[in-house]
Amino acid sequence: MAKKQKYYVVWQGKAPGIYTDWDSCKEQVAGVQGAQYKSFDTLAEAEAAIKLPYHSVVASTPRESGEPRSPKSSGVLFIDENGMTAVKEGTLNPPVLDALAVDAACSGNPGVMEYQGIYIPTRTQVFHYKSPKGTNNIGEFLAIVHGLSYMKKHRLNQIIYSDSVNAMSWVRQKVCKSKLSEDESTAELWDYVHRAENWLRSNTYTTEIRKWDTDHWGEIPADFGRK
């Protein structure tokens, strides 16, 4: 019996697009950090999927033989491809795994600042921003706002997790209360901050923002691992 035709969508790889065999797809994603790809049974499904964000269409479709295994989630226990446990088995009130985690890191305070949004089930980086000068609090604030904007733009109904009570408070107040000086070295960052504040003031959203319980769940999946 002839092997059933499959179609492979590559969102992030050497050459994003739709491929009709696994070997061609593998060539585009092999060795690419954060590669995003998935197989579909029909061309119509693949064409519809490539127009959407990767993490919003990821499902439990089995991969072809030879494809890297995806991270596994049971709803209570999360194990990534390296066998690392993010949430201990038996943990009461575990996090929702079909969610976006955001976090920031800063080399010095102020210093080089960056933040990212990570889709928890696949540990896929959804967005990333870096500034030559900033603070961790600003990064945490911007990460949440970026997540809210992303969710609204793509009409996603997922939770955003942050481990920063301070940033969550600033988002509720729709203002970044950082004391970082606004000068020539921070002008670009502050312009970005003010645009984020304006977005909060001019938009409504239904996305729920929850505090990541680091004490019971370990480091937030969006952590940069620099502690």
Side-chain angles (χ1 to χ4, degrees):
M1 182 181 293
K3 189 175 181 180
K4 185 177 180 180
Q5 174 69 58
K6 287 232 180 225
Y7 299 87
Y8 300 83
V9 173
V10 175
W11 285 267
Q12 183 167 311
K14 297 173 185 175
I18 298 174
Y19 296 85
T20 57
D21 62 89
W22 165 236
D23 288 339
S24 297
C25 173
K26 184 178 180 180
E27 184 177 340
Q28 304 307 316
V29 301
V32 177
Q33 185 176 6
Q36 300 174 356
Y37 55 99
K38 187 181 182 301
S39 64
F40 295 88
D41 291 331
T42 69
L43 179 58
E45 290 176 332
E47 290 176 337
I50 201 170
K51 298 175 183 178
L52 301 171
Y54 165 74
H55 83 269
S56 71
V57 296
V58 171
S60 57
T61 305
R63 294 185 184 276
E64 293 290 319
S65 175
E67 287 190 66
R69 293 177 61 83
S70 297
K72 299 172 289 184
S73 62
S74 66
V76 176
L77 178 69
F78 180 90
I79 305 174
D80 66 18
E81 65 271 20
N82 297 313
M84 300 291 288
T85 302
V87 182
K88 294 182 179 179
E89 191 168 14
T91 297
L92 297 176
N93 302 315
V96 175
L97 298 183
D98 182 23
L100 185 72
V102 299
D103 199 20
C106 195
S107 301
N109 201 28
V112 176
M113 179 275 292
E114 59 185 320
Y115 69 75
Q116 63 180 350
I118 298 292
Y119 181 52
I120 297 176
T122 59
R123 299 299 177 95
T124 302
Q125 186 183 75
V126 178
F127 54 76
H128 175 263
Y129 175 82
K130 190 171 186 178
S131 172
K133 186 176 181 180
T135 68
N136 195 70
N137 283 334
I138 289 178
E140 299 274 13
F141 169 77
L142 290 174
I144 296 175
V145 180
H146 196 148
L148 291 173
S149 174
Y150 184 88
M151 293 292 183
K152 183 167 185 176
K153 177 180 178 180
H154 296 290
R155 300 181 181 179
L156 300 175
N157 184 27
Q158 294 168 338
I159 293 166
I160 292 178
Y161 280 107
S162 170
D163 61 7
S164 174
V165 173
N166 194 45
M168 292 170 67
S169 175
W170 288 0
V171 169
R172 286 193 299 271
Q173 297 174 65
K174 307 183 191 304
V175 62
C176 176
K177 295 187 175 182
S178 173
K179 296 181 180 179
L180 180 69
S181 298
E182 293 192 49
D183 55 34
E184 185 176 348
S185 66
T186 61
E188 184 176 339
L189 175 64
W190 272 109
D191 177 67
Y192 194 40
V193 169
H194 294 321
R195 283 190 282 133
E197 293 172 329
N198 289 334
W199 188 92
L200 289 172
R201 292 166 186 155
S202 59
N203 284 271
T204 59
Y205 56 87
T206 58
T207 302
E208 183 179 357
I209 306 168
R210 294 187 187 178
K211 173 70 168 61
W212 182 265
D213 187 353
T214 306
D215 290 341
H216 295 95
W217 303 341
E219 293 294 344
I220 191 166
D223 183 68
F224 283 88
R226 298 177 185 169
K227 295 181 177 62

